[in-house]
Amino acid sequence: GEIVKVMAESGADFVELHTGRYANATRSKEADAEFEAITHAAKLAYKLGIGVNAGHGLNYRNIKRLTHIPEIVEYNIGHSIIARAVLVGLVEAVKEMKALLS
């Protein structure tokens, strides 16, 4: 929360929330706690007029839950998409991810 407030005071237009701990959580309790922290930071940033992006470690298995945070306007998930594209092609990999995000 404090970092988001500092970002607002500095005049930042956007903040990217680091989702690595959420993505790397090995227990559902950990993932739940990280999801709540991301949700809180996104809502605070939005309230302060800062756009919200999120990224780090996001993939086809863990992205769907974050779509329930409407304040997030962009996800940085390129690594996962390119890795999937090796198996199914880029068009299909993007199509699959877009389906998860909608």
Side-chain angles (χ1 to χ4, degrees):
E2 276 306 309
I3 293 173
V4 173
K5 290 176 186 173
V6 169
M7 296 291 294
E9 291 169 2
S10 74
D13 294 326
F14 271 84
V15 62
E16 179 164 316
L17 302 178
H18 187 277
T19 55
R21 288 191 300 223
Y22 165 77
N24 294 325
T26 57
R27 287 176 257 153
S28 60
K29 190 174 184 178
E30 284 177 273
D32 291 347
E34 291 303 323
F35 177 78
E36 291 304 319
I38 293 165
T39 300
H40 174 74
K43 289 184 181 309
L44 178 59
Y46 182 81
K47 180 180 173 185
L48 296 173
I50 301 173
V52 182
N53 297 338
H56 193 84
L58 299 177
N59 58 47
Y60 291 83
R61 292 184 310 263
N62 62 21
I63 190 68
K64 191 68 176 170
R65 187 174 187 191
L66 293 183
T67 65
H68 298 285
I69 305 172
E71 293 81 7
I72 299 175
V73 297
E74 182 177 298
Y75 301 94
N76 291 306
I77 46 180
H79 184 268
S80 183
I81 292 171
I82 296 303
R84 177 78 177 138
V86 170
L87 300 174
V88 301
L90 190 56
V91 171
E92 183 62 25
V94 171
K95 183 178 172 184
E96 291 172 4
M97 184 56 75
K98 284 178 74 174
L100 291 171
L101 293 173
S102 57

